[in-house]
């Protein structure tokens, strides 16, 4: 906070700005003896100065992200001071690299999900590619999972009591919750603003790279330990995520037993993959207000690769708009449709496809080659993607190759 007030650089803030006032409020909420800035941000600044000598004891580890980030200006200043000291001394061994927290990184360690880990046991140090460092003194016991996929991974590793919270908006997309993972509904959060997160007293917040970078920035500035994992595009990446989370929670035996079972199922899927290569599948959504397709880099793209089929929409990056002419041009062999949990009857997309006369000559529409998966399975980026792959493989294996 003092750096945010003091001078130039990426952390510089005008004390009168909304962000500086927010930082003052968070600081006063986290530091013992520091009053809330009811009388304005100047009171919080004065209180922060009074506690300057005790800041280090109350400073939490910085947010750690697996994605490269711009190095803080104060780190460059620290490096300049070190170089100057070396020039003055003109002797001694070359110093090791210094991270933003001021400690030396160890020799090469295991790397999982883009993060380098220290040796076994705790304290556990993690380094990101940009040099950011996070230290966990003990296994995480109060974890905030900010999306459904991360909760699904954690459901295999820890008891529900160790999950401090998750967003209410993620609940409909969690396979684990759909299958009865005993997470207390009272811990569903309507918002993930900094004040709400601080009230949980979580010792670890888990996010994905696609989530708000501004939100990560705010949590870091409030002293919350945050790990942001990259979006998985391969099954190997999902396995790495499992191993990383198990290391953070001291649940390695459970993770390795699960991974062994998952790899056996994946090998079984691969044995018949050659027979499914003729199928061109599409994940298409259209409730009458325009169509969307899941392209390259999506979980559906990974799903197709797991079973050996082709993603007919792979020419598009990510999730893309697709008009009827584009759909006719792609002419998929089957449509993979998401069904909301608890819904009955025909899905909105199936009804649209059958009612649209311009699609009537597509064989997949005429023969109603519609594969329905639950919305939780079709969109998961966790290990439950294998369940979706097996269901889709069973549907294909029960039918003759497409004649188009």
């Amino acid at each position: 906070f003092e750096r945010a007030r003091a001078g130039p650089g990426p952390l510089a803030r005008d004390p009168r700005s909304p962000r500086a006032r927010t930082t003052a409020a968070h600081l006063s909420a986290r530091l013992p003896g520091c009053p809330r800035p009811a009388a304005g941000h100047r009171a919080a600044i004065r209180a922060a100065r009074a506690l300057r000598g005790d800041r280090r004891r109350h400073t939490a580890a910085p947010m750690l992200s697996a994605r490269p980030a711009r190095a803080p200006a104060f780190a460059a200043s620290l490096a300049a001071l070190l170089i100057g000291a070396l020039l003055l001394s003109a002797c001694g061994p070359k110093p090791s690299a210094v991270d933003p927290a001021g400690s030396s990184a160890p020799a090469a360690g295991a790397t999982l999900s883009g993060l380098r880990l220290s040796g076994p046991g705790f304290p556990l140090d993690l380094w990101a590619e940009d040099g950011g460092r996070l230290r966990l003194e003990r296994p995480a016991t109060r974890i905030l999972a900010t999306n459904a996929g991360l909760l699904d991974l954690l459901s295999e590793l820890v008891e529900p009591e160790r999950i401090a919270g998750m967003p209410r908006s993620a609940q409909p997309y969690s396979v684990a919750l759909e299958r009865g993972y005993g997470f207390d509904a009272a811990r569903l959060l309507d918002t993930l603003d900094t004040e709400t997160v601080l009230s949980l007293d979580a010792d670890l917040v888990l996010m994905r790279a696609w989530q708000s970078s501004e939100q990560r920035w705010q949590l870091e500035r409030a002293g919350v330990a945050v790990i942001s994992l990259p979006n998985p595009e391969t099954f190997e990446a999902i396995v790495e995520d499992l191993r990383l989370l198990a290391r953070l929670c001291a649940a390695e035996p459970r993770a390795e037993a699960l991974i062994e079972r998952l790899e056996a199922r994946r090998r079984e899927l691969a044995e018949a993959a050659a027979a499914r290569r003729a199928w061109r599948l599409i994940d298409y959504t259209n409730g009458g207000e325009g169509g969307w397709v899941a392209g390259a880099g999506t979980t559906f793209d990974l799903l197709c690769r797991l079973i050996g089929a082709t993603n007919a929409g792979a020419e598009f990056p990510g999730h893309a708009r697709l008009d009827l002419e584009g759909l006719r041009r792609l002419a998929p062999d089957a449509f993979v449709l998401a069904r909301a949990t608890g819904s009955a009857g025909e899905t909105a997309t199936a009804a649209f496809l059958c009612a649209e006369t311009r699609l009537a000559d597509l064989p997949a529409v005429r023969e109603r080659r519609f594969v329905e998966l639950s919305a939780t399975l079709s969109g998961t980026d966790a290990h439950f993607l294998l369940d979706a792959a097996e269901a889709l493989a069973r549907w294909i294996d029960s039918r003759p190759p497409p004649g188009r």
Side-chain angles (χ1 to χ4, degrees), residues 36-61:
R36 289 184 176 273
H41 63 279
R42 290 187 178 84
I45 292 172
R46 288 193 296 270
R49 286 173 175 166
L51 289 169
R52 183 179 299 168
D54 201 33
R55 276 186 307 173
R56 291 190 61 176
R57 184 165 62 88
H58 297 296
T59 301

Side-chain angles (χ1 to χ4, degrees), residues 207-259:
M207 306 182 78
R208 285 286 187 197
W210 57 263
Q211 293 178 277
S212 169
S213 58
E214 176 68 16
Q215 188 176 54
R216 293 198 298 271
W217 188 93
Q218 292 286 355
L219 291 174
E220 179 202 18
R221 293 300 179 265
V224 179
V226 181
I227 293 181
S228 176
L229 299 179
N231 307 321
E233 296 186 4
T234 65
F235 197 77
E236 290 79 6
I238 294 176
V239 169
E240 281 202 16
D241 287 347
L242 270 171
R243 287 196 165 111
L244 174 64
L245 296 182
R247 181 71 180 87
L248 300 174
C249 302
E252 293 93 334
R254 294 177 71 167
E256 292 307 318
L258 172 62
I259 291 169

Side-chain angles (χ1 to χ4, degrees), residues 250-275:
E252 293 93 334
R254 294 177 71 167
E256 292 307 318
L258 172 62
I259 291 169
E260 184 178 353
R261 297 193 300 271
L262 294 174
E263 293 293 359
R265 293 166 59 190
R266 185 160 69 133
R267 288 192 297 270
E268 187 174 349
L269 278 172
E271 289 174 359

Side-chain angles (χ1 to χ4, degrees), residues 315-330:
E315 65 184 66
F316 301 99
H319 291 87
R321 284 281 191 181
L322 184 66
D323 58 23
L324 294 182
E325 287 305 313
L327 185 56
R328 285 176 55 81
R329 177 179 60 81
L330 293 178

Side-chain angles (χ1 to χ4, degrees), residues 33-392:
C34 183
R36 289 184 176 273
H41 63 279
R42 290 187 178 84
I45 292 172
R46 288 193 296 270
R49 286 173 175 166
L51 289 169
R52 183 179 299 168
D54 201 33
R55 276 186 307 173
R56 291 190 61 176
R57 184 165 62 88
H58 297 296
T59 301
M63 179 186 74
L64 186 69
S65 172
R67 298 192 303 167
R70 185 172 57 183
F74 73 87
S77 301
L78 177 60
L81 288 173
L82 289 172
I83 292 171
L86 285 174
L87 291 175
L88 288 173
S89 65
C91 63
K94 182 178 180 180
S96 58
V98 178
D99 65 34
S103 64
S104 299
T111 299
L112 295 172
S113 302
L115 302 176
R116 185 161 58 88
L117 283 65
S118 60
F122 288 83
L124 170 65
D125 290 313
L126 302 95
W127 287 265
E129 293 175 357
D130 66 346
R133 171 179 169 268
L134 175 68
R135 164 165 286 198
L136 293 182
E137 297 292 341
R138 59 189 62 84
T141 58
R142 290 190 56 77
I143 308 164
L144 171 58
T146 60
N147 63 68
L150 291 171
L151 178 74
D152 287 348
L153 293 172
L154 288 168
S155 71
E156 301 282 2
L157 305 174
V158 300
E159 303 305 318
E161 293 74 23
R162 292 176 67 177
I163 308 297
M166 73 169 288
R168 189 179 303 277
S169 59
Q171 182 182 19
Y173 304 99
S174 169
V175 180
L177 293 184
E178 184 180 55
R179 297 182 179 181
Y181 182 60
F183 176 75
D184 184 0
R187 284 174 281 166
L188 292 172
L189 308 175
D190 294 317
T191 177
L192 282 180
D193 63 86
T194 306
E195 206 61 39
T196 300
V197 173
L198 292 177
S199 71
L200 295 175
D201 197 26
D203 54 14
L204 181 62
V205 176
L206 296 172
M207 306 182 78
R208 285 286 187 197
W210 57 263
Q211 293 178 277
S212 169
S213 58
E214 176 68 16
Q215 188 176 54
R216 293 198 298 271
W217 188 93
Q218 292 286 355
L219 291 174
E220 179 202 18
R221 293 300 179 265
V224 179
V226 181
I227 293 181
S228 176
L229 299 179
N231 307 321
E233 296 186 4
T234 65
F235 197 77
E236 290 79 6
I238 294 176
V239 169
E240 281 202 16
D241 287 347
L242 270 171
R243 287 196 165 111
L244 174 64
L245 296 182
R247 181 71 180 87
L248 300 174
C249 302
E252 293 93 334
R254 294 177 71 167
E256 292 307 318
L258 172 62
I259 291 169
E260 184 178 353
R261 297 193 300 271
L262 294 174
E263 293 293 359
R265 293 166 59 190
R266 185 160 69 133
R267 288 192 297 270
E268 187 174 349
L269 278 172
E271 289 174 359
R276 304 185 191 107
R277 290 197 182 112
W279 286 87
R280 298 176 65 256
L281 309 176
I282 192 168
D283 182 320
Y284 182 73
T285 304
N286 194 331
E289 299 178 353
W292 287 87
V293 62
T298 61
T299 53
F300 178 74
D301 195 53
L302 173 55
L303 178 59
C304 290
R305 282 183 273 132
L306 283 171
I307 66 173
T310 299
N311 177 9
E315 65 184 66
F316 301 99
H319 291 87
R321 284 281 191 181
L322 184 66
D323 58 23
L324 294 182
E325 287 305 313
L327 185 56
R328 285 176 55 81
R329 177 179 60 81
L330 293 178
D333 298 314
F335 290 84
V336 179
L337 310 178
R339 173 178 291 281
T341 302
S343 64
E346 194 172 50
T347 66
T349 300
F352 170 82
L353 291 171
C354 293
E356 179 53 64
T357 57
R358 287 171 289 181
L359 301 176
D361 59 338
L362 287 180
V365 174
R366 186 174 62 248
E367 299 173 19
R368 294 183 64 86
R369 297 184 201 150
F370 303 153
V371 192
E372 292 188 356
L373 298 175
S374 71
T376 53
L377 278 183
S378 65
T380 185
D381 60 1
H383 60 293
F384 289 123
L385 194 65
L386 267 186
D387 293 44
E390 289 166 341
L392 189 51

